[in-house]
């Protein structure tokens, strides 16, 4: 484990961005070695007691559902009203209980353009999730219509509907007698990523702070801060970790992603100081060269003070 992580851990009590969440430092034997596989006939994977995920082909996205007594909470609402209605129908095959609460993990359209179809549910998000969506929602709609023709028609009827219950940095919600914790751990994939922890099932939903089976998206990222944010997340892992896209992971998956994020920041710093030229920097990145340009340039922009 890199030295930086140890120093974060030793200063955790004083500086944790999420004092409201009990830090979990269980012994190694409580860490699962394999991810549970328990699929029911409705196509949902039960990753913990009444905590489900469904993996959609579009963007290889993971959607989460937490079921309590008499109600359910949904984590992210997909990319369009049509996709949201499909999700609602899929949830209806999973539980008879109504979805009374939604969590938007961040303001990217594929995580919340389905919000409006879940009303009158309460929609939770970081306060910048709301403000950014209000500021850039129409821009996102136009961009999606142009780049994803399959969604263009569906987005004509889209009502951009941001979270109405915001928080910073953390809050606790109750879902039919179950406690669910929401926390912003710092900038990373965006400036408003929140994680969702279900303590009684030891499940952590990471949003797009973690993506599996593909290079994470850096277009709105803060690559210099992403490693520390995932470092805090790692401290909260006590079971399966559900990324925003791709396969469900575990602690080792988070550690691998953290090593990659550390490498991105380190390479960018070496390029910024002139220790590496651009070709050498691209070759030293943890991703393939064509996927490394955006992360590197975004990190450079941060080093130049252009993103603050
Ligand atoms: Zn995203």
């Amino acid at each position: 484990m890199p030295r930086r992580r140890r120093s974060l851990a030793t200063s955790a009590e004083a500086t944790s961005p999420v004092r409201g969440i009990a830090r979990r430092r269980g012994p190694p034997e409580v860490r699962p070695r394999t991810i549970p596989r328990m699929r029911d006939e409705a196509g949902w994977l039960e990753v913990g007691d009444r905590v489900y995920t469904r993996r959609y082909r579009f963007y290889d996205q993971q959607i989460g559902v937490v079921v309590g007594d008499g109600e359910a909470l949904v984590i992210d609402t997909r990319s369009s009203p049509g996709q949201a209605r499909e999700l609602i129908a899929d949830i209806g095959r999973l539980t008879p209980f109504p979805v009374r609460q939604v969590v938007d993990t961040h303001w990217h359209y594929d995580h919340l353009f389905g919000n409006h179809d879940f009303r009158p549910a309460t929609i939770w998000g970081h306060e910048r999730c709301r403000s950014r969506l209000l500021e850039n929602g129409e821009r996102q709609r136009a961009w999606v219509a142009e780049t994803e023709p399959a969604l263009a028609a569906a987005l004509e009827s889209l009502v951009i509907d941001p979270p109405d219950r915001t928080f910073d940095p953390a809050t606790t919600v109750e879902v039919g007698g179950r406690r669910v914790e929401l926390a912003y751990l710092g900038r990373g994939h965006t400036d408003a990523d929140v994680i969702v922890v279900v303590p009684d099932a030891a499940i952590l939903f990471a949003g797009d702070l973690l993506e599996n089976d593909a290079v994470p998206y850096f277009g709105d990222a803060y690559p210099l801060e992403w490693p520390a944010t995932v470092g805090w997340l790692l401290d909260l892992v006590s079971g399966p970790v559900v990324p925003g896209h791709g396969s469900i992971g575990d602690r080792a998956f988070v550690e691998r992603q953290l090593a990659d994020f550390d490498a991105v920041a380190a390479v960018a710093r070496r390029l910024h100081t002139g220790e590496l030229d651009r070709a050498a920097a691209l070759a030293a990145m943890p991703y393939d060269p064509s996927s490394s340009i955006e992360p590197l340039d975004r990190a450079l922009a941060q080093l130049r003070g252009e993103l603050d």
Side-chain angles (χ1 to χ4, degrees):
M1 188 173 277
R3 185 169 299 165
R4 184 192 56 74
R5 289 282 310 113
R6 264 203 298 276
S7 66
L8 269 181
T10 53
S11 62
E13 295 312 315
T15 60
S16 167
V18 281
R19 292 188 186 85
I21 293 187
R23 303 173 75 75
R24 295 170 186 80
R25 299 183 189 284
E29 61 268 26
V30 305
R31 296 172 188 162
R33 305 310 300 170
T34 57
I35 302 304
R37 295 291 173 196
M38 198 164 59
R39 188 179 294 278
D40 74 10
E41 74 271 15
W44 291 86
L45 186 68
E46 187 174 26
V47 289
D49 176 30
R50 291 168 295 149
V51 179
Y52 302 88
T53 63
R54 192 180 183 100
R55 193 169 171 178
Y56 286 94
R57 189 181 301 272
F58 187 85
Y59 287 0
D60 196 10
Q61 187 164 28
Q62 292 278 8
I63 299 295
V65 172
V66 181
V67 178
D69 291 336
E71 64 171 310
L73 171 145
V74 171
I75 300 157
D76 289 336
T77 61
R78 308 188 67 203
S79 302
S80 70
Q83 288 191 4
R85 286 193 290 273
E86 181 187 34
L87 171 58
I88 289 166
D90 289 338
I91 294 169
R93 286 186 281 274
L94 178 67
T95 174
F97 301 146
V99 174
R100 295 220 173 96
Q101 299 179 84
V102 167
V103 180
D104 291 340
T105 58
H106 61 295
W107 49 264
H108 280 156
Y109 80 95
D110 51 320
H111 298 261
L112 47 55
F113 269 10
N115 277 2
H116 194 63
D117 283 88
F118 283 88
R119 296 296 189 183
T122 296
I123 300 181
W124 296 90
H126 187 266
E127 58 187 34
R128 274 191 299 280
C129 179
R130 175 181 171 83
S131 60
R132 291 287 193 203
L133 185 66
L134 289 170
E135 166 194 313
N136 69 24
E138 287 300 336
R139 205 157 58 237
Q140 290 200 73
R141 184 212 301 255
W143 183 86
V144 178
E146 193 182 313
T147 57
E148 297 286 352
L151 290 182
L155 293 186
E156 286 171 15
S157 64
L158 170 69
V159 176
I160 294 175
D161 194 348
D164 54 291
R165 295 292 300 274
T166 62
F167 57 91
D168 180 41
T171 194
T172 300
V173 303
E174 193 205 306
V175 183
R178 304 183 75 175
R179 184 165 54 93
V180 177
E181 294 168 335
L182 318 180
Y184 168 77
L185 304 177
R187 298 198 296 189
H189 172 73
T190 68
D191 58 1
D193 307 291
V194 299
I195 63 163
V196 179
V197 177
V198 189
D200 68 19
I203 305 295
L204 189 153
F205 290 87
D208 286 0
L209 284 172
L210 298 172
E211 298 184 41
N212 210 350
D213 309 314
V215 175
Y217 177 66
F218 280 79
D220 298 303
Y222 296 83
L224 303 186
E225 291 157 70
W226 202 335
T229 301
V230 172
W232 290 119
L233 183 156
L234 184 61
D235 281 346
L236 299 171
V237 171
S238 58
V241 177
V242 184
H245 303 265
S247 312
I248 294 167
D250 56 8
R251 169 173 287 271
F253 155 67
V254 181
E255 289 170 343
R256 286 195 301 274
Q257 295 273 304
L258 177 55
D260 287 350
F261 294 136
D262 269 331
V264 169
V267 169
R269 286 195 170 93
R270 293 170 69 198
L271 174 57
H272 186 62
T273 61
E275 185 186 333
L276 295 176
D277 64 22
R278 188 169 174 85
L282 285 170
M285 289 282 279
Y287 313 123
D288 68 85
S290 65
S291 301
S292 294
I293 294 168
E294 189 167 62
L296 191 60
D297 285 346
R298 190 79 187 172
L300 283 174
Q302 246 198 305
L303 284 164
R304 294 186 195 114
E306 295 167 4
L307 299 186
D308 295 318

